[in-house]
Structure formats: C-alpha cells, structure tokens
Amino acid sequence: MGGPQPVPVGGGDDGALDGVRVGVVTFPGSLDDRDAVRAVRLAGGSAVQLWHGDHDLQGVDAVIIPGGFSYGDYLRAGAISRFAPLMEQITTAASGGAQALPVLGICNGFQVLTEAHLLPGSMIKNNSLHFICRDQRLRVENADTFWTSDYADGEEIVIPLKNQDGQFVADNRTLDELEGEGRVVFRYVDGNPNGSRRDIAGISNIAGNVVGLMPHPEHAVEAGFGPDSSARGDVGVRGGTDGLGIFTSVLKKLVG
C-alpha cells in the first residue's frame, strides 16, 4: 500500500500558481517534509505528498526531496534512499531533456541527489565533526535556475543551516567545471560553516532544473517562524522570509 496518499494541500491567491503541483517525497527518517509542503503552499502552489516506496510521481510538475535523516543515514547520508523506487522515477524524469522535471534537494535531499548522480560531488561530515544549527548568510551566484529565478545574481539571503554531513567535496576538475559553467548556485558568506570546497552551499546540473543546497529555505518562508535576521533589512524576531523565493521561483518558472 505504501505510505501517505498524495493530497493537495495548497491554494494561493494566484490561480495559475495554484495549478502547479509540487511533489514532496517522504522517506523513513525525513524530518522536514511537512515544512516543505507548507513552503510550497505559502508560495502559492499545491503540494502533493509522495511516498518513497511508490512507483508513480502522480503527474507532479516538480519535486522536492526534503531534509532529515533518510534511513537513519546508515551506510552514508542518502546512500540508501537513492535506491528507492520513487527515486528511479525522479532520476529518469529529471534527465528528460527540454521537458525535464525540476527537482530540489534540501540538506539530506542534496545528499540523495549526489548519491543518485543527478548532481556531482559528495557530502561528508562537517570539518568540525559536530552538528551545526544556525542562521546562515548565503550569496545567490546563479539566478537562472528553475529554483532561483526570483532572486538576482549576487543577492544575499539568510536561511537556517542544520547538518552534520554538510561538507561538499569534489575533485578540482569537477569544481572548475561547476565554476566555469555557472553551476555554483549558492555560496556561504561570512564564514564557511562546514569546510565545503570553495564555500559552495548549493549547485545545479547543467540544465538548471536540478538544484541541491545544504541550508533550509523552507524554514525561512513565514514571518514569525523564520530566522531573526534577513539580508534584505531589519526584521522582527523570527521575521526572516528570505527562503520563500526558492519556492516562488519554480512556480513562476513553470507557469511562465
């Protein structure tokens, strides 16, 4: 029977955006799937819950692989999840040329995307060997992906970061390719929290439909529940919403 049945939970004021169905995958150990669902709804889209053991993407227009500790991070973070039946469907759909499915991997989702070879490189333990939880300043290096088009190149944002295996590593040739092809999407600002090579916080595939990042934009989408700071000016306590643009970007891109 699988897990939870796909249920639309969205409904923004913009009818066109509301028609965009964004799937959020739940694995055993996912923690932030409900947060991602809420972020999609707050952005104006309709979220559809997807279960890792199913074989049907339910006709969604985009997919988010959320944060957490899928399969308890046994073996290696994201290593087991890449073999889930639904990941086979996602991998095929995300590699589909001009009509490729937009996919966002957040934290553990980023780890899954590297394990599935939808993104290059690998994620290893933070150089401090400690779990990190803090608000993190980032710079948007590429605003031309499906998930960043509501930002501007060079714009800075503040969103929460929480991980233990958050250090992005790759050989120098891969790193040079990512830089040269404009596939570094986010970079850490005001200090590298985990030792990631070249301060990389997020990357994309060459088509720009697949993006992975370690920080959590879904935790910075609603005033009163976000960071205490913003790169866009002063905000009240828990008032930061800099992450909302990740979710509005894909909705507008698909509608437009």
Side-chain angles (χ1 to χ4, degrees), residues 92-110:
T92 299
S95 307
Q99 301 301 315
L101 182 76
V103 178
L104 175 69
I106 303 171
C107 196
N108 186 234
F110 187 7

Side-chain angles (χ1 to χ4, degrees), residues 107-130:
C107 196
N108 186 234
F110 187 7
Q111 295 160 346
V112 173
L113 292 178
T114 62
E115 291 289 341
H117 305 300
L118 282 170
L119 293 175
S122 186
M123 312 301 301
I124 64 174
K125 289 193 181 300
N126 300 334
N127 57 354
S128 66
L129 302 182
H130 292 293

Side-chain angles (χ1 to χ4, degrees), residues 126-128 130 132 134 136 161 163 188-189 191-196:
N126 300 334
N127 57 354
S128 66
H130 292 293
I132 296 171
R134 74 185 206 190
Q136 177 66 47
L161 173 74
N163 62 69
Y188 295 115
V189 177
N192 185 327
N194 47 34
S196 289

Side-chain angles (χ1 to χ4, degrees), residues 157-224:
I157 60 176
V158 175
I159 59 178
L161 173 74
K162 50 174 189 173
N163 62 69
Q164 179 169 286
D165 297 86
Q167 183 178 177
F168 176 75
V169 296
D171 59 77
N172 283 328
R173 178 180 177 180
T174 299
L175 292 171
D176 288 343
E177 287 178 354
L178 289 171
E179 299 276 13
E181 294 170 356
R183 293 166 56 195
V184 176
V185 180
F186 299 99
R187 209 180 302 267
Y188 295 115
V189 177
D190 295 341
N192 185 327
N194 47 34
S196 289
R197 301 300 184 268
R198 304 192 188 181
D199 300 331
I200 291 174
I203 61 174
S204 75
N205 66 348
I206 198 162
N209 63 301
V210 179
V211 169
L213 76 163
M214 283 310 297
H216 287 260
E218 79 279 15
H219 295 322
V221 295
E222 185 175 14

Side-chain angles (χ1 to χ4, degrees), residues 129-148:
L129 302 182
H130 292 293
F131 182 84
I132 296 171
C133 184
R134 74 185 206 190
D135 293 341
Q136 177 66 47
R137 197 175 188 95
L138 306 175
R139 183 169 59 247
V140 179
E141 301 282 31
N142 182 352
D144 196 32
T145 77
F146 272 79
W147 299 92
T148 54

